[in-house]
Amino acid sequence: MTTLSQLKLVNVQRPNTADPIVARRIKLVRGIEEQAELINAMMAGKEYAPTKTKTVVDEETGETRLVQTPKQVRSWFWRGDEGKLYLSMRYGNRVLELAKGKTAIEAKDDKDLLKILGSLKNAALAGELDSAINEASARTKANFTKA
């Protein structure tokens, strides 16, 4: 008996593109997770310093190499004048409108903010934020076509 005859062979092709709706959800979830890591680091008294991999071309030799560089993370949350915490979700550089005219969520403290981010992550994965993502994405595309 050959090795191939022991395997279940099928005729299927890998899809060329991912579903754009799922890709947008994943991008938003990554942002939510990054904000949670930022809050955890702040609560622990540490600095959150994520890195990204960047391709750099050496001007003298022309060689390309991968370099780890610091990644800029803009926090989605801030403390208001009265000491309350507020959170505005972002998709790219756009603030998401979570309900008609509502762009921020109020939190009691850092732990409450983490719970809210967990709820938002579940909502994003369930597709509850798809319309807000689509609206933010459409506004971004409209700005590019005007230029």
Side-chain angles (χ1 to χ4, degrees):
M1 183 177 269
T2 66
T3 305
L4 287 179
S5 64
Q6 296 174 359
L7 303 174
K8 182 179 179 182
L9 302 176
V10 294
N11 184 16
V12 66
Q13 289 185 336
R14 186 177 192 165
N16 291 338
T17 59
D19 183 8
I21 295 170
V22 174
R24 288 178 178 170
R25 286 179 193 167
I26 290 170
K27 178 180 176 180
L28 183 62
V29 167
R30 284 185 185 142
I32 292 169
E33 290 171 344
E34 196 167 61
Q35 292 299 310
E37 290 178 25
L38 178 63
I39 294 167
N40 283 327
M42 288 174 55
M43 288 171 52
K46 297 179 181 176
E47 186 176 322
Y48 178 62
T51 59
K52 63 181 178 179
T53 304
K54 186 176 178 181
T55 304
V56 178
V57 178
D58 189 343
E59 293 180 14
E60 293 178 11
T61 63
E63 292 181 8
T64 60
R65 58 189 168 100
L66 297 176
V67 178
Q68 294 288 330
T69 60
K71 180 179 175 183
Q72 180 183 0
V73 178
R74 182 187 300 179
S75 70
W76 293 356
F77 53 92
W78 70 97
R79 196 167 296 280
D81 294 336
E82 59 279 348
K84 294 181 183 176
L85 280 171
Y86 297 98
L87 170 80
S88 287
M89 289 185 63
R90 293 184 164 273
Y91 183 77
N93 64 350
R94 298 285 183 184
V95 175
L96 295 182
E97 187 175 48
L98 302 172
K100 187 71 173 166
K102 311 283 185 186
T103 59
I105 301 168
E106 185 178 308
K108 297 176 211 158
D109 56 16
D110 294 340
K111 290 181 183 179
D112 189 35
L113 201 54
L114 284 173
K115 288 179 190 175
I116 290 169
L117 286 171
S119 298
L120 290 172
K121 179 180 176 180
N122 292 335
L125 290 172
E128 296 177 34
L129 300 172
D130 286 351
S131 61
I133 295 170
N134 289 337
E135 185 179 318
S137 181
R139 283 186 286 157
T140 302
K141 288 179 185 174
N143 286 344
F144 280 127
T145 57
K146 286 181 185 178

